[in-house]
Amino acid sequence: MPKPTGLTSSQVADRRAKGQVNTTEHRTSRTVAAIVRANVLTRFNAIISGLLVVILIYGEPPDALFGLVMVVNSGIGIVQEIRAKRTLDSLRHRIAPTATVIRDGTEMTIPATEIVLGELVAVRTGDAVPVDGRIVQSDGLEIDESSLTGESDPVAKSVDDEVRSSSAVVAGSGLVTATAVGADAWAHQLTSKAREFSLTESGLRKDIDRLLGWIMWVIVPVGVLLFATQMSNAPDVASGLVSTVSGMVAMIPQGLVLLVSLSFAVAALRLSERNVVVQELAAVEGLARVDVVCLDKTGTLTTGTLEVESISCLGDEQTVLAGLAVLAKSDRNPTATLAVVARTLPAAESWVSTATVPFSSARKWSAASFDGFGTWVVGAPEVLLDAMEASPTVEALREQVASLAKRGRRLLLVGRTEVDLDDRVVLPSHLTPAAIVVIREELRPDAAETLRYLRSQGVAVKVISGDHPQTVSAVATELGLPDADRAVDMRRESDLTAIAPDVVVFGRVLPEQKRGLLAQLQERGHTVAMTGDGVNDVLALKQADIGIAMDTASSATKAVSQFVLLDGRYDRLPTIVGEGRRVIANMERASALFLTKTVYAVLLAVWVSLAGIAFPFLPRHLTLVGALTIGIPAFVLSFWPSNRPARPGYLERTLHFAIPAGLTAAIMTFAVYATVHTWVGASVEEAQTAATLTLALVGFWILYRLIRPLGRGETVLITMLMAGLVAAFLLPPSAEFFALEFPSTAVALSVTAATIVNIVALELIVALAERHGEHIRWLTAR
């Protein structure tokens, strides 16, 4: 067969000029313009902008301060997300898929996005097919098309067969002529919507959007009621409009949506600093919900570094070693195990191959026939032994295999027969044992500590491997995994549902079985993460809620994973899990703060309207209180460390806290305002100051209730926030700006009494709720 030459450089340049290149407009992160739109053009920003215009026309400039808060919040979100985007985009170039092509008769590696129409592309085991094409050369080529057809069985491909992008090579190699690239590729057309920026797929984001929808339904009628009463009771139009705006601004949870996007972006940025590439921002949230981590053994618990420990020949040693060497070298895309054997043994040049079957993780063996030397097979010992006729030698080998496997060794059995290869699936008949190869692999130094951490955090660990169950069990036991001695041999398991839930080690697992085991865990209510590096892990990584690829992973494996460990350090797992938990836990606390504000603002608006009195705050008062008790602490809390696992019921937990907290805050604030203004006989300015001070102090206690017990950081945070409130009252320029009157003795006593009553009431309500349910107990736990 003549050596293929592929396209010439001039042909490549011509097709590139015509736009016939394998590039698309798909992005895994939002564009800068989309980030700006998402942070600026929100429904609440639109409402606030309208209210800002009213204040600028009818009110005083200090009352427009809430507009500056909106600008600052949006600006912070934009800057942080753009920073995260640029960092992640630069890291993604390090894992961007490459392809091997033949140009001008020379084989070269290029970015997959530079393939042109008609390109001659070489594909090998572990590659993701980068284009649609037609096969022009096949050497035992088998393709996994499950991502396109849903069928998990590999498909053998011959010359003139078609292949499609997003499929994966699981065995053999071949040459493919690109017939469709870029946007014309079938997989692109099929998945164009699914590949869009995935932040909107976040469960947390959906819950918050649902919550904000409810708030909108409340804000509109309450706002209309407030407008009607304030306009009818106000001395002039300007005062009525300013009072209405005060109530409306307080009801809007500014920054809550922004905080979700910001938290995801910051989490992705923090992970990138640890050499972890986040391919989907929304996946950060999924990390917090993981309660089971499934691991492959090779490349995950072990480094993947292999060394031939011994070769026991069963026959003429010279012939057996020569046969094993040629067999290992005959596979053009050998596994790591075969590769180390090929490097160890010199090749026998006189052996001529007449037929080959490449290794497949489904078959667990490879074979080759040689002119004058018969057929040689190498693979998993138990697979080959099951195909051999029973004999004392075979039984002795079984015992030897079991003994070596208990020591954690990886084993290969070599068999030979005079029968030619005539089937790619069934082992040749009359197979006799020829040699046992013992291979030793190195444990990852960080594996044991990582497993201990995961267990301490309530995350179950399961090892799912294609290796011998005894070998996997020995490795897991050495790393300290409890119950690792109870390994299941998946060759003997046809019903996955019958496997006990507490089994932690699975050996001889086929790729389809890996996916099935993960599906079983998910059906039992678990959120599952899967780590892997081989093409045999692709199905399981796609099935998992969170897929994590190692640095040594094949391009197909990286393509279906949400996270890629660039440095291959297994001890990044605690960081990844912890970052997700931090995001969810802190978002729940921040949400409770925002919703508490909405609750007390709505209740105050309703009571004020029913009482026919002016709203007890100016917009600037609520800006001050909101910044000190909600905005600043919510932003700071979004960076707070937390290892608490996420649980369902986000809305229930936040509402169980926000409603009683907002109710007590509204009652006490309204009571102080009415008391000071009516009974004490204070001026409107003094009554508004008293309401502002009461609401601020109550807000500090609510914040304390959410973040206690106080450590150094929490103490510094609350101290600084309270110092800000004191400064606002004591510094003349600040007091004048915020329209605050220094409280008289009667006002101070009213505020103090109301604050104490509020604290006692809130503590009683929370204690009662904790006794009868775990919603608040979970939210306020550290």
Side-chain angles (χ1 to χ4, degrees):
M1 180 181 295
K3 182 180 179 181
T5 59
L7 298 179
T8 64
S9 298
S10 60
Q11 288 175 316
V12 171
D14 178 64
R15 297 178 192 198
R16 185 178 291 124
K18 293 178 181 179
Q20 298 172 333
V21 188
N22 194 40
T23 57
T24 67
E25 294 299 318
H26 283 142
R27 300 179 178 92
T28 53
S29 63
R30 293 188 283 194
T31 63
V32 172
I35 291 172
V36 172
R37 284 196 303 271
N39 285 277
V40 173
L41 303 180
T42 68
R43 69 181 83 175
F44 290 119
N45 277 1
I47 296 174
I48 291 172
S49 297
L51 298 176
L52 178 62
V53 171
V54 173
I55 291 296
L56 292 175
I57 295 174
Y58 294 99
E60 298 181 16
D63 286 326
L65 191 60
F66 65 87
L68 179 60
V69 174
M70 174 188 68
V71 173
V72 171
N73 283 344
S74 296
I76 290 174
I78 291 169
V79 170
Q80 285 284 13
E81 193 167 343
I82 289 178
R83 182 187 173 204
K85 168 188 167 56
R86 289 175 175 170
T87 301
L88 296 173
D89 285 350
S90 66
L91 286 176
R92 285 192 188 103
H93 287 302
R94 295 172 60 181
I95 62 168
T98 59
T100 302
V101 300
I102 299 176
R103 294 178 179 175
D104 296 315
T106 303
E107 188 173 281
M108 62 182 67
T109 300
I110 63 171
T113 54
E114 294 184 8
I115 298 173
V116 300
L117 190 66
E119 191 89 72
L120 192 59
V121 183
V123 293
R124 300 179 177 87
T125 302
D127 288 347
V129 179
V131 294
D132 291 357
R134 179 178 57 83
I135 295 175
V136 295
Q137 183 177 313
S138 174
D139 183 10
L141 189 63
E142 296 183 26
I143 303 290
D144 171 16
E145 298 180 337
S146 60
S147 61
L148 307 176
T149 66
E151 296 294 334
S152 60
D153 292 335
V155 179
K157 295 290 185 178
S158 304
V159 174
D160 290 332
D161 285 348
E162 290 185 351
V163 292
R164 288 175 169 169
S165 56
S166 294
S167 54
V169 181
V170 295
S173 60
L175 295 177
V176 176
T177 298
T179 57
V181 296
D184 294 329
W186 187 76
H188 171 92
Q189 300 172 18
L190 182 68
T191 63
S192 58
K193 293 296 182 183
R195 291 183 181 177
E196 291 178 357
F197 181 71
S198 62
L199 183 60
T200 54
E201 298 301 317
S202 158
L204 178 63
R205 183 67 175 252
K206 288 180 179 179
D207 279 346
I208 288 179
D209 283 344
R210 183 155 55 110
L211 188 60
L212 295 179
W214 297 344
I215 293 174
M216 285 295 294
W217 281 102
V218 173
I219 286 178
V220 172
V222 173
V224 171
L225 176 63
L226 184 65
F227 174 76
T229 57
Q230 296 301 298
M231 293 301 294
S232 62
N233 294 302
D236 52 58
V237 173
S239 298
L241 288 174
V242 170
S243 293
T244 302
V245 169
S246 298
M248 292 289 290
V249 169
M251 288 185 279
I252 298 172
Q254 293 186 63
L256 182 55
V257 176
L258 168 68
L259 204 59
V260 179
S261 177
L262 177 62
S263 295
F264 285 171
V266 169
L269 185 61
R270 287 161 62 115
L271 288 173
S272 71
E273 295 170 352
R274 300 292 189 93
N275 283 314
V276 179
V277 176
V278 183
Q279 305 210 77
E280 297 177 17
L281 285 184
V284 172
E285 178 191 341
L287 295 174
R289 309 189 188 282
V290 167
D291 57 1
V292 177
V293 173
C294 295
L295 313 170
D296 188 21
K297 177 180 71 69
T298 305
T300 305
L301 297 180
T302 62
T303 62
T305 301
L306 304 177
E307 178 185 1
V308 175
E309 182 176 281
S310 66
I311 300 176
S312 301
C313 298
L314 307 173
D316 179 65
E317 182 173 328
Q318 183 176 355
T319 303
V320 170
L321 291 179
L324 176 58
V326 176
L327 179 59
K329 295 176 186 295
S330 67
D331 196 325
R332 298 185 182 182
N333 302 284
T335 62
T337 308
L338 279 182
V340 72
V341 173
R343 291 194 301 268
T344 303
L345 299 174
E349 299 180 358
S350 60
W351 292 47
V352 178
S353 173
T354 58
T356 61
V357 174
F359 180 84
S360 162
S361 57
R363 286 188 296 267
K364 299 193 182 299
W365 56 268
S366 61
S369 293
F370 301 98
D371 188 16
F373 293 95
T375 297
W376 293 70
V377 183
V378 62
E382 60 274 18
V383 174
L384 270 61
L385 288 172
D386 286 347
M388 296 178 180
E389 294 182 7
S391 68
T393 301
V394 169
E395 293 307 312
L397 281 174
R398 288 188 190 276
E399 294 180 5
Q400 185 179 358
V401 165
S403 175
L404 290 168
K406 288 180 180 179
R407 293 167 47 198
R409 297 299 187 256
R410 181 182 292 196
L411 306 172
L412 290 175
L413 180 63
V414 182
R416 61 183 299 182
T417 180
E418 297 302 320
V419 178
D420 291 336
L421 281 172
D422 58 2
D423 195 303
R424 298 172 58 85
V425 178
V426 180
L427 282 165
S429 58
H430 303 295
L431 200 62
T432 59
I436 288 183
V437 182
V438 181
I439 297 174
R440 180 175 58 249
E441 53 187 327
E442 180 183 29
L443 295 178
R444 284 187 177 272
D446 52 7
E449 182 60 34
T450 302
L451 293 181
R452 281 194 294 272
Y453 167 83
L454 292 173
R455 295 198 308 276
S456 70
Q457 295 300 312
V459 178
V461 177
K462 295 183 182 293
V463 184
I464 304 176
S465 174
D467 285 348
H468 192 287
Q470 292 295 336
T471 302
V472 184
S473 176
V475 170
T477 300
E478 187 174 351
L479 292 173
L481 188 63
D483 299 322
D485 55 327
R486 297 173 51 223
V488 171
D489 189 336
M490 292 302 294
R491 294 176 305 143
R492 299 181 173 85
E493 299 292 337
S494 57
D495 183 7
L496 298 183
T497 61
I499 299 175
D502 58 347
V503 173
V504 297
V505 173
F506 303 84
R508 291 306 182 205
V509 186
L510 299 176
E512 178 59 31
Q513 288 178 316
K514 280 190 179 184
R515 180 167 67 174
L517 288 171
L518 267 64
Q520 282 294 312
L521 290 169
Q522 291 167 330
E523 288 177 8
R524 291 168 180 161
H526 295 291
T527 302
V528 184
M530 173 76 192
T531 67
D533 66 344
V535 69
N536 61 317
D537 297 320
V538 168
L539 291 177
L541 287 166
K542 287 161 62 178
Q543 177 68 43
D545 298 287
I546 297 295
I548 304 171
M550 309 299 285
D551 61 321
T552 55
S554 65
S555 58
T557 305
K558 289 177 179 176
V560 300
S561 300
Q562 284 81 24
F563 298 89
V564 179
L565 308 184
L566 288 179
D567 54 8
R569 287 183 54 181
Y570 185 57
D571 59 356
R572 300 299 188 198
L573 273 183
T575 302
I576 295 175
V577 173
E579 196 62 36
R581 291 182 170 185
R582 183 190 63 79
V583 168
I584 297 297
N586 294 336
M587 275 308 305
E588 288 198 9
R589 292 192 178 95
S591 298
L593 290 174
F594 280 108
L595 295 182
T596 297
K597 175 190 172 188
T598 297
V599 170
Y600 68 61
V602 169
L603 292 175
L604 283 173
V606 172
W607 295 341
V608 163
S609 299
L610 295 177
I613 61 177
F615 195 75
F617 301 101
L618 293 174
R620 69 191 83 172
H621 295 149
L622 291 172
T623 298
L624 175 64
V625 174
L628 292 176
T629 64
I630 297 170
I632 295 174
F635 179 76
V636 173
L637 285 176
S638 68
F639 296 91
W640 230 250
S642 176
N643 282 320
R644 189 183 66 185
R647 293 181 59 183
Y650 156 76
L651 287 180
E652 290 82 355
R653 283 192 297 275
T654 52
L655 290 175
H656 269 72
F657 183 87
I659 290 176
L663 176 62
T664 56
I667 291 174
M668 292 301 107
T669 302
F670 186 79
V672 167
Y673 178 72
T675 300
V676 171
H677 186 43
T678 305
W679 295 346
V680 176
S683 65
V684 172
E685 291 76 14
E686 286 182 303
Q688 289 176 335
T689 297
T692 301
L693 184 57
T694 301
L695 188 58
L697 293 176
V698 170
F700 287 139
W701 184 264
I702 292 171
L703 174 61
Y704 161 73
R705 195 63 180 77
L706 282 171
I707 66 175
R708 70 180 189 184
L710 300 185
R712 178 180 298 178
E714 291 86 351
T715 302
V716 169
L717 174 63
I718 289 186
T719 301
M720 292 183 66
L721 293 173
M722 296 186 71
L725 179 64
V726 171
F729 272 87
L730 296 182
L731 298 178
S734 176
E736 181 180 354
F737 181 85
F738 286 108
L740 298 172
E741 298 278 348
F742 192 82
S744 64
T745 302
V747 170
L749 290 174
S750 299
V751 170
T752 302
T755 303
I756 293 173
V757 170
N758 185 93
I759 290 173
V760 173
L762 181 60
E763 288 299 310
L764 288 174
I765 292 173
V766 170
L768 184 64
E770 288 180 338
R771 181 176 300 177
H772 291 87
E774 62 177 11
H775 288 303
I776 291 182
R777 184 167 61 251
W778 181 260
L779 179 63
T780 58
R782 293 306 302 275

